[in-house]
Amino acid sequence: MDAPAVGRSLLVTAASWLDGRDAEPLEPASARALGRTMATLHLHAETWQPPRDGALPPLTEPLFGDEDALDSAPDLRPQERAVLAEARERTGEAFARLHEGASLRALHADLHGGNLKWHDGSLAVFDFDDAGIGLPVLGLAISTYYLRGEDPALEAALRDSYAQVAPVPPVAHADLEALVAARQLLLANALLITTTAGWRAEAERYAHTAAARLEHWLRTGTFTCALA
């Protein structure tokens, strides 16, 4: 729709209400259900193709094709900027390495407790607006990001239940951690480019948080959200 007040057109969407209990925060039962659900989606997507006139964006680099605004994050210290730059380079290398000759498929690409509900005794998935074409291991890494800093048993439950339905994608530990860390880069960048005023107000604070978490990953090889 045209929006003269902001000088451009805006995309407006409407969605029906999904009944049920929110799955956030994830509990062991919902983490196990998520693993099975994700694996089922990945298996279905192996043969699914979009309609002839439809398409999904490629999720083949850390920022998913978004404008890279990380360099322009305000009020960061030089060391923090260096951390973001190195993290951007290393995650980019991991994406390139994993995608070389790989077969891609449709992913939800945002499976976390806030996009899940318990409905009629089953886990219901909604909010597909981040969906794209990518690697199954990326979907697993994205969900893993939201569990880092929580009980490690939740991540184990997610992976174990995934394996009950489909093989866990084989990937080196370092590359998996890079995909998890890439989620942090994408979220920090998203706040810097968003037009939503409430989120933009959080961008500067969140950039500091992202830098601290990414510095820990670069130093230790393991990503965690436990750092403020």
Side-chain angles (χ1 to χ4, degrees), residues 3 18 28 32 40 42 44 46 68 73 87 110 112 119 128 136 139 165 175-177 185 196 198 200 203 205 213 216:
L18 180 65
R32 288 191 293 272
T40 301
H42 289 174
H44 174 69
E46 190 172 7
D68 188 345
D110 199 19
H112 58 78
H119 183 66
F128 282 76
V165 177
D175 284 339
L176 176 64
E177 292 300 313
L185 278 174
T196 302
R200 287 188 65 86
R205 179 195 62 79
R213 293 173 176 175
H216 179 273

Side-chain angles (χ1 to χ4, degrees), residues 75-86 208 211:
D75 298 325
L76 289 181
R77 297 184 298 275
Q79 178 58 28
E80 290 175 313
R81 294 191 186 280
V83 164
L84 293 181
E86 183 177 354
H208 291 293

Side-chain angles (χ1 to χ4, degrees), residues 82-95:
V83 164
L84 293 181
E86 183 177 354
R88 181 73 169 87
E89 180 178 0
R90 285 180 53 177
T91 56
E93 291 172 350
F95 266 77

Side-chain angles (χ1 to χ4, degrees), residues 53 114 151 157 159 168 173 175 186 197-198 201 203 217:
D53 58 349
D151 184 352
R159 293 177 62 86
V168 175
H173 173 76
D175 284 339
L186 183 141
W217 164 61

Side-chain angles (χ1 to χ4, degrees), residues 118-178:
W118 286 106
H119 183 66
D120 290 341
S122 298
L123 196 67
V125 177
F126 60 98
D127 195 356
F128 282 76
D129 65 332
D130 289 334
I133 302 295
L135 295 170
V137 69
L138 176 61
L140 194 59
I142 289 170
S143 295
T144 297
Y145 166 87
Y146 293 98
L147 298 179
R148 289 297 172 87
E150 302 293 332
D151 184 352
L154 294 176
E155 184 177 342
L158 174 74
R159 293 177 62 86
D160 291 346
S161 58
Y162 186 106
Q164 294 171 8
V165 177
V168 175
V171 62
H173 173 76
D175 284 339
L176 176 64
E177 292 300 313

Side-chain angles (χ1 to χ4, degrees), residues 2-228:
D2 291 333
V6 296
R8 61 185 178 87
S9 295
L10 297 177
L11 175 65
V12 178
T13 63
S16 60
W17 182 259
L18 180 65
D19 292 328
R21 175 173 60 87
D22 289 348
E24 189 174 46
L26 284 184
E27 302 167 346
S30 49
R32 288 191 293 272
L34 173 55
R36 293 190 295 270
T37 299
M38 186 191 311
T40 301
L41 287 170
H42 289 174
L43 285 177
H44 174 69
E46 190 172 7
T47 56
W48 178 85
Q49 294 293 326
R52 182 176 301 178
D53 58 349
L56 290 171
L59 309 178
T60 54
E61 59 89 23
L63 301 185
F64 294 175
D66 288 345
E67 169 197 352
D68 188 345
L70 294 168
D71 285 342
S72 63
D75 298 325
L76 289 181
R77 297 184 298 275
Q79 178 58 28
E80 290 175 313
R81 294 191 186 280
V83 164
L84 293 181
E86 183 177 354
R88 181 73 169 87
E89 180 178 0
R90 285 180 53 177
T91 56
E93 291 172 350
F95 266 77
R97 184 164 50 249
L98 292 171
H99 283 86
E100 185 174 359
S103 176
L104 307 183
R105 65 188 71 175
L107 303 176
H108 180 283
D110 199 19
L111 286 174
H112 58 78
N115 289 335
L116 305 168
K117 281 181 177 289
W118 286 106
H119 183 66
D120 290 341
S122 298
L123 196 67
V125 177
F126 60 98
D127 195 356
F128 282 76
D129 65 332
D130 289 334
I133 302 295
L135 295 170
V137 69
L138 176 61
L140 194 59
I142 289 170
S143 295
T144 297
Y145 166 87
Y146 293 98
L147 298 179
R148 289 297 172 87
E150 302 293 332
D151 184 352
L154 294 176
E155 184 177 342
L158 174 74
R159 293 177 62 86
D160 291 346
S161 58
Y162 186 106
Q164 294 171 8
V165 177
V168 175
V171 62
H173 173 76
D175 284 339
L176 176 64
E177 292 300 313
L179 295 184
V180 176
R183 188 63 176 179
Q184 182 65 85
L185 278 174
L186 183 141
L187 294 176
N189 191 68
L191 289 186
L192 292 168
I193 64 175
T194 184
T195 58
T196 302
W199 291 351
R200 287 188 65 86
E202 295 293 319
E204 180 180 336
R205 179 195 62 79
Y206 194 70
H208 291 293
T209 297
R213 293 173 176 175
L214 291 166
E215 188 278 332
H216 179 273
W217 164 61
L218 292 171
R219 178 167 45 83
T220 66
T222 300
F223 182 87
T224 179
C225 290
L227 303 175

